[in-house]
Amino acid sequence: MVYDSLSHEELLTRWPKDVEGQPEAPALLVSLMNESALFQVTLLEAYGIPVLQKHGITGVIGRFPNRGTHLYVPASLLEEAQALLDADVEEPDAP
């Protein structure tokens, strides 16, 4: 299965608006390696939290740049998003 994140138009439609109808400011949630970002984005969007992804340098290991993804969410949903990412995942019982 191939997962496509929200298109620019879908993201803008789902992003909360301020009292003037402008998109709310994004807040940096986390910076991850690209492979880890897909799971996080899928989880957040499943709970109705829109995610803006910015790909680039997320840090430096030794002298080597670390490429990854910065995930931004609406500032008003930052605490909820952080709680989802911090929650313990319960493994289902084996049949």
Side-chain angles (χ1 to χ4, degrees):
M1 178 175 99
V2 175
Y3 175 79
D4 292 324
S5 61
L6 297 174
S7 71
H8 177 73
E9 292 79 20
E10 291 171 313
L11 183 61
L12 191 56
T13 299
R14 292 185 55 200
W15 202 268
K17 309 293 187 281
D18 63 17
V19 294
E20 297 173 357
Q22 296 299 313
E24 184 178 303
L28 178 62
L29 175 62
V30 66
S31 297
L32 302 163
M33 296 294 292
N34 288 333
E35 297 78 26
S36 302
L38 177 61
F39 172 77
Q40 308 295 341
V41 170
T42 303
L43 174 69
L44 293 166
E45 289 182 351
Y47 279 89
I49 299 175
V51 181
L52 173 64
Q53 300 177 61
K54 183 178 179 189
H55 304 282
I57 304 299
T58 58
V60 176
I61 298 175
R63 294 180 292 161
F64 302 99
N66 182 21
R67 297 197 55 81
T69 303
H70 301 284
L71 302 182
Y72 293 85
V73 297
S76 63
L77 298 174
L78 181 61
E79 287 183 25
E80 181 180 349
Q82 189 63 56
L84 283 169
L85 296 187
D86 290 344
D88 290 331
V89 176
E90 292 185 27
E91 295 291 329
D93 294 330

